[in-house]
Amino acid sequence: MVLTACVLASSMAFIDGTALPVVLPILRAEFGADLASVQWVLNGYMLALASLILIGGALADVYGKARMLGVGCVLFGLASAACALAPSPAWLITARVVQGAAAAIVTPASLALIGATYPRAERNRAIGVWAAASALTTAGGPVLGGWLTETFGWPSVFWINPPLALVAVGVLLVFAGRDDLIQRRFDGIGAAILALALGTLTWALSQIGPSQARAAANAPAQSVTVLTIVAGFGILGFAVYAFWERRSEHPMTPPRLVENRTFLGLNVATLMIYTGISIVFFLLPFDLVDRRALSSTDAGLAFLPFTLGVGLLSSVFGGLADKIGTRTMLIAGPAGAALAYVWLALGHKESLMLGVIVPMTLLGLSFAVLVTPLTASVMSSVDQTDEGLASGINNAASRVAQLAGAALAAGAASFESGYEVGLAVAAATSICGAFTAAIIAMPADTKAGGSGGVSNPWNSTRFDIGLPDVLKFTEAAIRSGVSRSRLRRSRRWNTSCAEAGLSRCSRRREPSLARERYPRT
């Protein structure tokens, strides 16, 4: 039942993020507003979500995952009611910003609660259900938004959220267990710096490329100089944030996450993979509507193979990852996606079935292979106390990738063969994601037939070192002739590390616990 609450909560955020585009023409006519103002109904939500999602994950770790998920659901439901009752565009945009802030709590808290509720042996399957529901609600948002608007009016798009929020909160109150809280204060200054950095970078990315909407509204496009300066401030903000976190007594991003190469590598892979899919989702609708002369409904149906593939098969491949491990799937998934992008580019002049439907089916299958293992690997690469923050970081990476992909696609669209160029870039980024997954040290995999489902401790996330380092360390330990139990309780641990050529052999534990388990003699 906890999984049900997590799915309901995250579905609200995903539906609201995709259902509104089809409502924009109705809102423009209803309020008599220009297109640039109505676009901020979408941009305000996205800016708040991207800027605050990492903070939402940190709040879940500090104050409790179930508690913050309930708070986020209540806030999202109230903001949705305010949107439905909006008498003016300014009111609606303000309520949408609050909705985005609530979604920044709901999304990472729901995923972190799944990680805290289910043991590692069952986590991939549970996350597969969550990912499948997320994919279906995301893809079904435009269809649901259009039907509700035509049948009951545009406020009905927002009125569906309060009942879902109440059900999710009720389930959490009855079935959610006690949270394991982290005994540390919330880093308010770091949160403010990070929100400002993410917000400025998100805004700069959202303004890159030609904008027909701004042209239609007679709004001046932002100059390259202004965008460069704003993006520079965003990057500088990240540097200031890193400087502050190293000196804060209660950092929002603990240094152990920054030093965790597996976690960083998986987020780089996320950034690459989702940049590629964002490019395709930006370019393909224009090709379907403008060149193939499909209606908006038919163009939406062309994405159905992708939606069904991810929605129906994510949980299946999540269970398969529990048996065979995640590395193979994290390589095969992006590689298959790259092949689908190349197929779309080469089939540009072919029939709709051969040039679009078949490669979109391959793309759906490829993402069904990779989505659940990627999410589960991110959650397994950190300790349980950091899962909320890890979820927030991973979601922030995917949001930045979405904006970066749209910016790259808009830039590619300025070329004569922009469709093919954009798809080539998408294939390259996807291959980079597969390469990243191939070279990083993966968290512990649970495989069928292995030691009763117990992970290999040498490949466990208890150690912040990769498999090659472990092999070199083991070789040095054998040469030293020291038994493992003696090695743990002597200074030869550091000697063996030095012989292996390692710069560090840090354990992924708190320093006090490390000193307690491995006292110096």
Side-chain angles (χ1 to χ4, degrees):
M1 293 302 293
V2 173
L3 179 60
T4 301
C6 294
V7 169
L8 285 175
S10 59
S11 296
M12 293 189 303
F14 290 123
I15 290 175
D16 241 50
T18 58
L20 261 293
V22 297
V23 185
L24 291 184
I26 306 298
L27 290 175
R28 183 183 181 185
E30 179 83 12
F31 293 119
D34 57 45
L35 187 57
S37 297
V38 174
Q39 271 196 317
W40 273 102
V41 175
L42 298 179
N43 291 346
Y45 180 89
M46 182 60 68
L47 280 173
L49 177 58
S51 301
L52 302 175
I53 195 166
L54 201 155
I55 298 172
L59 288 172
D61 287 334
V62 175
Y63 297 109
K65 301 170 180 62
R67 179 183 300 174
M68 291 310 302
L69 180 58
V71 171
C73 287
V74 171
L75 183 60
F76 197 94
L78 292 175
S80 298
C83 289
L85 298 172
S88 66
W91 177 303
L92 181 59
I93 292 170
T94 302
R96 285 285 288 170
V97 171
V98 177
Q99 259 195 330
I105 300 174
V106 167
T107 305
S110 63
L111 187 55
L113 183 58
I114 292 175
T117 303
Y118 291 88
R120 289 178 185 260
E122 303 174 8
R123 185 176 300 172
N124 281 348
R125 187 175 297 276
I127 292 178
V129 174
W130 181 87
S134 300
L136 287 174
T137 52
T138 300
V143 179
L144 179 62
W147 178 77
L148 287 173
T149 301
E150 292 181 1
T151 306
F152 304 104
W154 68 265
S156 61
V157 176
F158 299 104
W159 281 124
I160 64 173
N161 292 323
L164 293 177
L166 288 176
V167 173
V169 171
V171 172
L172 290 173
L173 290 175
V174 175
F175 294 99
R178 183 180 179 86
D179 279 315
D180 294 327
L181 304 182
I182 301 176
Q183 300 301 319
R184 69 169 184 244
R185 293 199 305 268
F186 183 70
D187 182 15
I189 296 178
I193 296 173
L194 182 63
L196 183 62
L198 277 172
T200 53
L201 185 61
T202 300
W203 182 86
L205 288 173
S206 68
Q207 301 300 309
I208 295 177
S211 175
Q212 294 179 350
R214 282 195 297 269
N218 297 320
Q222 302 296 330
S223 67
V224 176
T225 304
V226 172
L227 294 181
T228 302
I229 293 175
V230 173
F233 273 116
I235 296 172
L236 179 62
F238 287 116
V240 173
Y241 175 73
F243 177 83
W244 169 260
E245 291 294 280
R246 289 188 175 275
R247 283 154 179 78
S248 174
E249 295 181 359
H250 302 278
M252 191 173 71
T253 306
R256 60 181 176 272
L257 288 184
V258 180
E259 296 170 359
N260 186 342
R261 290 175 290 178
T262 299
F263 177 70
L264 290 179
L266 288 169
N267 279 283
V268 170
T270 299
L271 188 67
M272 295 292 182
I273 293 168
Y274 281 90
T275 297
I277 189 68
S278 297
I279 293 173
V280 175
F281 274 39
F282 183 92
L283 291 176
L284 186 57
F286 288 99
D287 179 72
L288 294 175
V289 174
D290 295 341
R291 195 185 67 82
R292 294 184 183 268
L294 298 182
S295 66
S296 298
T297 302
D298 292 338
L301 291 176
F303 288 86
L304 191 60
F306 173 85
T307 304
L308 293 178
V310 177
L312 299 179
L313 299 178
S314 289
S315 59
V316 175
F317 286 112
L320 183 62
D322 289 331
K323 298 179 180 180
I324 69 174
T326 59
R327 185 188 298 276
T328 301
M329 304 184 77
L330 292 183
I331 297 173
L339 178 61
Y341 302 152
V342 173
W343 193 331
L344 283 169
L346 296 179
H348 192 210
K349 306 295 184 182
E350 301 296 332
S351 64
L352 180 65
M353 176 61 68
L354 184 62
V356 177
I357 302 301
V358 175
M360 288 300 288
T361 303
L362 174 60
L363 185 60
L365 178 64
S366 301
F367 266 77
V369 169
L370 72 91
V371 166
T372 300
L374 178 60
T375 306
S377 296
V378 170
M379 303 301 292
S380 299
S381 67
V382 300
D383 292 330
Q384 183 173 330
T385 54
D386 293 324
E387 286 178 343
L389 181 59
S391 175
I393 293 174
N394 192 246
N395 274 280
S398 64
R399 299 295 174 177
V400 171
Q402 179 182 357
L403 293 166
L408 289 173
S414 61
F415 294 96
E416 183 177 354
S417 301
Y419 183 78
E420 290 85 351
V421 171
L423 291 173
V425 174
T429 58
S430 190
I431 290 296
C432 288
F435 178 76
T436 303
I439 63 175
I440 61 176
M442 286 292 173
D445 290 329
T446 304
K447 299 182 181 181
S451 304
V454 179
S455 303
N456 181 359
W458 285 107
N459 198 29
S460 171
T461 55
R462 291 182 299 153
F463 296 91
D464 192 19
I465 52 181
L467 182 60
D469 292 341
V470 171
L471 296 176
K472 290 194 291 182
F473 171 81
T474 305
E475 180 184 359
I478 294 174
R479 287 201 306 267
S480 67
V482 183
S483 67
R484 184 175 177 183
S485 61
R486 173 64 176 165
L487 180 62
R488 283 183 169 178
R489 303 183 61 84
S490 71
R491 294 183 179 179
R492 294 189 184 182
W493 176 274
N494 295 329
T495 303
S496 298
C497 287
E499 291 177 11
L502 299 178
S503 60
R504 57 186 172 88
C505 263
S506 62
R507 296 171 181 79
R508 297 273 314 288
R509 298 293 188 196
E510 297 295 332
S512 60
L513 181 59
R515 286 195 294 269
E516 178 183 343
R517 288 193 175 183
Y518 308 101
R520 294 177 180 267
T521 58

